[in-house]
Amino acid sequence: MRLSTVILPIHRWNDGQKLWQRAEELGFHASYTYDHLSWRTFRDGPWFGAVPTLTAAATATQGMRLGTLVTSVKTFSSIAP
């Protein structure tokens, strides 16, 4: 059986790194994070981007699969004259 876990992107890297490493030590096959623009429960605290979080997680783990459960579509608009 392969088990996965979710690690929310609410931890600064010096603390978050330990969570990703611990998930791998516990034998999780994969670990995911969210990429939401906002989440009511955590609105007053830090919420870091999923891609930078997963990039950092990749540097701290050996072979655990990493990914996002949800990826927000972010649009950028430009102001044209």
Side-chain angles (χ1 to χ4, degrees), residues 21-59:
Q21 290 170 337
R22 183 68 177 141
E24 188 169 49
E25 289 169 8
L26 291 171
F28 284 103
H29 169 72
S31 191
Y32 300 94
T33 195
Y34 283 94
D35 184 21
H36 284 329
L37 299 177
S38 65
W39 194 334
R40 260 185 253 162
T41 308
F42 298 104
R43 73 176 146 224
D44 294 329
W47 189 271
F48 302 103
V51 173
T53 298
L54 291 172
T55 301
T59 67

Side-chain angles (χ1 to χ4, degrees), residues 1-5 23 26-32 63-65:
M1 181 183 314
R2 294 181 178 175
L3 299 176
S4 300
T5 188
L26 291 171
F28 284 103
H29 169 72
S31 191
Y32 300 94
M64 184 172 57
R65 292 177 179 241

Side-chain angles (χ1 to χ4, degrees), residues 7-17 19 46-48 53:
I7 298 174
L8 297 178
I10 59 173
H11 304 281
R12 299 211 179 276
W13 186 239
N14 54 346
D15 296 323
Q17 170 181 324
L19 292 172
W47 189 271
F48 302 103
T53 298

